[in-house]
Amino acid sequence: APSTPELKAVVAALAKRAEKLKTSRVDPREDNMLKITSEGRKAALDLRLVRGRAADHPDSKVNHAIREIIAVWQESRAQRLTQLVFCDLSTPKIDGRGFSVYDDLKAKLVAAGVPDKDIAFIQHAETDAAKVALFKDVRAGKVRILVGSTQKMGAGMNVQTKLVALHHLDAPWRPADIEQREGRILRQGNSNAAVRVLRYVTEGSFDAYMWQTLETKAKFISQIMTGDCSARKIEDLDAPALTYAE
């Protein structure tokens, strides 16, 4: 998704703050790298998360994702195939205050003709029994779009029966998190011979930093896992690292 002048200004301001942390003493309670990173990730997802009055850009990555989700939903309507949407930031607001990407996503899907009952948030299934019932509905195709975070929809969630598409709205911190996300759809028991895994990235935003971090981690992790100690430096990117680089 293309960047906007407003987002570029936010990223430039974050870069200045990061540089200031390196060159001068800053009270960690006033500003720190974790705060800068958090704001950068939010701005890359949707600028309204850091600037409440920012415009809803029609070419934002969330709006790109919504168009893809609707297209897949319409294509697979007859078979009632299902989709997963992963987003670790901006989860649903319990009290309704503040902007939420989850709520924005659902409102736009419903406005485009997707029935409310076809969409579910994992956060609303608060008990184990509620999760079991929700997962059963996804496997049956009653719930066709399930939205949630890596933590709540990672290991142990078996909803693959009708899954045809998976969407990464943001990038987590660890390659293992990506594997857990994609392991929901790329697994035995899925009735679809071909599936789609879609990653959404905003140009010139913190997304680049996040995917580069994943690439760097994936490279040294794969070296350790293969047990190859013959070389002191890595020459070629392996398959998982290349995926993050792309």
Side-chain angles (χ1 to χ4, degrees), residues 77-111:
R77 185 181 282 181
Q79 308 102 302
R80 292 199 67 81
L81 301 182
T82 59
Q83 304 180 66
L84 290 182
V85 182
F86 279 96
C87 184
D88 290 351
L89 298 168
S90 190
T91 50
K93 298 284 185 283
I94 296 168
D95 54 7
R97 288 183 297 177
F99 175 75
S100 163
V101 166
Y102 276 63
D103 297 330
D104 184 56
L105 180 86
K106 184 172 182 178
K108 287 173 179 172
L109 289 174
V110 170

Side-chain angles (χ1 to χ4, degrees), residues 208-226:
Y209 174 81
M210 292 301 297
W211 285 106
Q212 282 170 353
T213 302
L214 284 165
E215 179 200 341
T216 304
K217 290 178 179 179
K219 281 197 287 187
F220 82 78
I221 289 168
S222 75
Q223 269 191 310
I224 292 168
M225 297 303 280
T226 55

Side-chain angles (χ1 to χ4, degrees), residues 188-208:
Q188 288 181 325
N190 192 331
S191 59
N192 296 299
V195 296
R196 299 181 210 177
V197 176
L198 300 107
R199 301 175 187 86
Y200 302 89
V201 177
T202 305
E203 285 178 351
S205 76
F206 222 78
D207 280 341

Side-chain angles (χ1 to χ4, degrees), residues 16-128:
K16 282 183 182 176
R17 282 167 55 190
E19 193 60 34
K20 192 177 177 184
L21 291 180
K22 289 181 186 176
T23 56
S24 57
R25 284 191 175 184
V26 178
D27 188 338
R29 288 170 295 183
E30 285 181 24
D31 203 7
N32 55 70
M33 201 60 203
L34 188 61
K35 189 178 178 185
I36 292 170
T37 305
S38 177
E39 286 180 27
R41 291 180 73 204
K42 286 177 181 177
L45 180 62
D46 195 304
L47 204 51
R48 288 172 290 178
L49 291 169
V50 292
R51 289 190 175 176
R53 294 182 181 179
D56 179 13
H57 199 265
D59 262 347
S60 72
K61 71 172 179 179
V62 175
N63 286 326
H64 269 290
I66 288 165
R67 289 192 284 272
E68 289 285 348
I69 293 165
I70 292 167
V72 174
W73 176 81
Q74 288 173 334
E75 283 171 27
S76 59
R77 185 181 282 181
Q79 308 102 302
R80 292 199 67 81
L81 301 182
T82 59
Q83 304 180 66
L84 290 182
V85 182
F86 279 96
C87 184
D88 290 351
L89 298 168
S90 190
T91 50
K93 298 284 185 283
I94 296 168
D95 54 7
R97 288 183 297 177
F99 175 75
S100 163
V101 166
Y102 276 63
D103 297 330
D104 184 56
L105 180 86
K106 184 172 182 178
K108 287 173 179 172
L109 289 174
V110 170
V114 179
D116 189 283
K117 63 181 176 59
D118 277 17
I119 309 162
F121 297 158
I122 190 73
Q123 287 82 359
H124 290 164
E126 294 179 350
T127 65
D128 288 342

Side-chain angles (χ1 to χ4, degrees), residues 159-176:
V159 294
Q160 67 271 16
T161 313
K162 287 176 171 278
L163 280 180
V164 72
L166 182 146
H167 308 263
H168 295 286
L169 286 193
D170 55 10
W173 279 112
R174 302 174 301 178

